[in-house]
Amino acid sequence: MALSRHIVAQLDGSAGGIAAALATGDVGAISDADAEEMRRAGLAHLLSVSGLHITAAVAATMLIVLRLLALSPWLALHTRLPLIAALAGAAAAIGYTVLTGSQVPTIRSCVAALLVLFALAMGREAMTLRLVATGAIAVMLALPESLAGPSFQLSFAAITAIIALHEHPVVRATFAPHDEGRGRRLLRGAASLLLTGLVVEAALMPIAVYHFHKAGLYGAVANIVAIPLTTFVVMPFEALALLLDTIGIGAPAWWLVQHALDALLRLARGVAHAPGSVRALPAVPDGAFALMIVGGVWIALWRTRWRRIGILPLAVGAIWALTTPSPDILVTGDGRHVAVRTAAGLALLRDRAGTMSAIRWRRMAGSTVSRCCWRISLMRGAAATCA
């Protein structure tokens, strides 16, 4: 909490909240409007401490430890410096996970980081679907109820899609290191990021629609800019600023962080307000969601032509979800609140339904109307409210 307060005090507007979220996972200082625009732009994952943040912490720790130890010729000749650096990176991953509250995405990322470091120390290939399975088992043993939540599902769907994609022989051969110029190498890296973003967006869309009743359309393009900006500019300079603050000279680094985060927010606002940036859908049937998940997992796990069978349940589930009509009438479980769908939005029967009920109903009905007022006439009177 003290670290979050210190970071927020150094920056203006929601930039301070985003910087605090990157360091501690505390998103309380981000304005509701900016948080919504980050979600609409497909950049909300940057605000949750997960793989990106753990990787940055581990990589920075290993780099610093390795360079410092290499200053000693005796250590460089008589010890395995990469192994010692990996142990320091593992300690950083565990410490960072504890610092940020040990949330599901952070635990998953920490377990994954530890397994990667262990595999590298043994000389084995690190990034495999077995890694994902081990991380999932660790999270479910600690927090079994998280399986039904969107955090668990989104987190593991994203990493599963990424690894399954880059394990494909064609993709691996296409984006493997080549003997080429810097320009072509940058273009190849950008193409890899774009393809990965598109696949991740496709993998996350069924889950996002099922839980939140809406999905972003331009997130893959936005992340091509946002992820490098966050990884190579915002986080390193924020870490430098915090380090320099110990001797009271962190202001220049905070200035750079402020401008980088302002650019990130401008990107989020531009994408969020682009035509068709978000599509709202009504509540997805459980059966349709299950078919899409089964199809997606089948495609990710198989490495032979059998994987094509997964397209069938995936397509059936998607068509089922897209053709599901919006409900005409919504009734709460206790029968106390009723809403009727109209051409311009929802009409609530009672004015005591509350703002949260109205928001939840709008999402379930697939409505993007933010506010409308209607009157419903009943036999014993009339009531008017806004949804």
Side-chain angles (χ1 to χ4, degrees):
M1 292 175 63
L3 180 58
S4 294
R5 287 195 297 268
H6 174 78
I7 294 172
V8 170
Q10 310 305 313
L11 302 170
D12 298 328
S14 292
I18 296 176
L22 294 175
T24 68
D26 182 6
V27 297
I30 304 174
S31 70
D32 293 340
D34 287 333
E36 177 62 21
E37 286 170 345
M38 292 285 286
R39 285 190 290 269
R40 291 172 63 90
L43 303 178
H45 66 93
L46 298 176
L47 307 180
S48 172
V49 177
S50 55
L52 176 65
H53 311 79
I54 293 291
T55 300
V58 171
T61 301
M62 290 183 64
L63 178 64
I64 293 172
V65 171
L66 192 61
R67 294 299 176 87
L68 289 177
L69 295 180
L71 295 175
S72 169
W74 187 91
L75 287 175
L77 292 173
H78 295 86
T79 62
R80 292 185 60 190
L81 294 187
L83 180 59
I84 298 175
L87 291 174
I94 295 172
Y96 193 32
T97 301
V98 174
L99 171 69
T100 56
S102 303
Q103 301 298 316
V104 170
T106 320
I107 295 175
R108 188 267 304 165
S109 302
C110 181
V111 172
L114 296 179
L115 289 172
V116 167
L117 293 173
F118 185 65
L120 291 175
M122 294 178 62
R124 299 289 297 275
E125 184 177 359
M127 300 302 294
T128 66
L129 290 177
R130 294 186 181 89
L131 171 76
V132 182
T134 305
I137 291 171
V139 173
M140 288 190 290
L141 288 175
L143 302 166
E145 71 281 0
S146 65
L147 177 63
S151 178
F152 180 96
Q153 295 172 13
L154 292 169
S155 179
F156 280 97
I159 189 64
T160 300
I162 291 172
I163 293 180
L165 171 67
H166 289 277
E167 281 188 344
H168 194 281
V170 175
V171 176
R172 176 173 291 189
T174 301
F175 297 114
H178 290 69
D179 186 12
E180 58 189 358
R182 179 175 298 180
R184 292 181 61 87
R185 186 165 58 250
L186 289 175
L187 287 175
R188 191 184 300 274
S192 176
L193 276 176
L194 178 59
L195 177 62
T196 302
L198 291 173
V199 171
V200 169
E201 288 293 324
L204 299 186
M205 190 170 293
I207 303 172
V209 171
Y210 181 76
H211 288 284
F212 308 116
H213 313 294
K214 60 182 179 181
L217 303 179
Y218 306 141
V221 178
N223 277 288
I224 290 180
V225 178
I227 290 178
L229 177 64
T230 304
T231 307
F232 301 115
V233 179
V234 175
M235 296 183 70
F237 279 107
E238 182 175 348
L240 177 63
L242 290 171
L243 181 64
L244 295 177
D245 276 348
T246 59
I247 54 177
I249 58 171
W254 284 121
W255 182 84
L256 292 171
V257 173
Q258 176 77 60
H259 284 276
L261 288 174
D262 287 343
L264 180 65
L265 285 168
R266 285 195 297 271
L267 172 66
R269 291 162 185 158
V271 173
H273 294 290
S277 61
V278 175
R279 179 171 180 183
L281 293 172
V284 176
D286 293 341
F289 179 62
L291 283 172
M292 288 188 286
I293 294 300
V294 169
V297 171
W298 182 279
I299 292 172
L301 294 182
W302 282 90
R303 298 187 178 184
T304 64
R305 293 182 179 180
W306 283 92
R307 75 183 344 167
R308 300 176 184 176
I309 298 177
I311 298 175
L312 180 60
L314 182 62
V316 172
I319 294 172
W320 185 0
L322 291 172
T323 56
T324 299
S326 299
D328 294 317
I329 299 176
L330 295 167
V331 185
T332 58
D334 57 10
R336 298 180 61 187
H337 303 293
V338 179
V340 178
R341 183 168 61 91
T342 69
L346 292 179
L348 304 189
L349 174 63
R350 302 179 64 196
D351 57 2
R352 296 182 181 179
T355 303
M356 290 305 298
S357 296
I359 293 173
R360 184 171 64 253
W361 276 345
R362 280 204 311 272
R363 290 176 178 173
M364 293 183 67
S367 173
T368 58
V369 178
S370 60
R371 184 175 179 85
C372 57
C373 193
W374 292 93
R375 180 175 298 277
I376 301 179
S377 298
L378 303 176
M379 294 179 62
R380 294 188 179 182
T385 189
C386 293

